[in-house]
Amino acid sequence: MVEYYVPKWEEIEEGILDVVEKMVNDDFVPDVIVAILTGGVIPAKLVADALGIRNIKYIDIKFYKGIESRERKPVIKAVYVDNLENKKVLIIDDVADTGETLDAVGNIITMYNPSLIRSATVYVKPWSRKYPDYYYKILDKWIIFPWDKWEVVRENTNAPIDKKEKYFDILRKLRK
Ligand code: 5GP
Ligand code: MG
Ligand code: MG
């Protein structure tokens, strides 16, 4: 049985501020943020705004097909990145589980010759092979983010969009 954790939006904001504070205390201000699509997009936007950075790039990479069913290696779908040479790069995702995604993205970014690469996520699973440099909390549950709910419901039910009451029922159950 999968145990779910459904953080409220306020916890996400709290988590992002915590992560940004850790970077500032570390004297780390990135030149460029690389967001991992699609879960890293909103955290990347929040971190970018907190630091006053507008330079965001993207890497499209997919590992999980659904909850706890994974392909063997993350699959790189597309790389929307340029001008990283001699730049300080911060890779951002919502959560690290095995750490494979951060690892794969780090390897790609290395090829662009940045001066420094660091990574940040909101959460990390205790068993992750690679921990991000900055994170808010260690959690051993399956996290359903505020930006993830429809994705999770879609992947786990065949409720059509016009039956949206059913979506909400499912989400309420997941929250318990
Ligand atoms: P990893 O490569 O570290 O095993 O997994 C990281 C990727 O898998 C993240 O980009 C995220 O999209 C997805 N993922 C891993 N664990 C969770 C989770 O608990 N909740 C959600 N929503 N996505 C997860
Ligand atoms: Mg995701
Ligand atoms: Mg992802």
Side-chain angles (χ1 to χ4, degrees), residues 63-64 93-101 125 142-143 145 148:
F63 199 169
Y64 293 84
D93 205 354
D94 46 5
V95 47
D97 187 323
T98 62
E100 294 272 358
T101 300
K125 307 289 173 76
W142 185 267
I143 304 151
F145 291 95
D148 238 14

Side-chain angles (χ1 to χ4, degrees), residues 24-41:
V24 169
N25 290 340
D26 221 13
D27 279 330
F28 176 67
V29 181
D31 302 305
V32 187
I33 287 175
V34 174
I36 298 178
L37 292 172
T38 57
V41 169

Side-chain angles (χ1 to χ4, degrees), residues 1-6 144 152-153 157 165-176:
M1 206 7 223
V2 185
E3 264 193 272
Y4 294 104
Y5 183 74
V6 190
I144 299 177
V152 171
V153 172
T157 69
E165 313 74 37
K166 187 160 176 220
Y167 281 79
F168 288 119
D169 283 350
I170 295 160
L171 289 171
R172 264 180 228 112
K173 275 186 206 119
L174 289 178
R175 195 169 285 170
K176 277 173 198 151

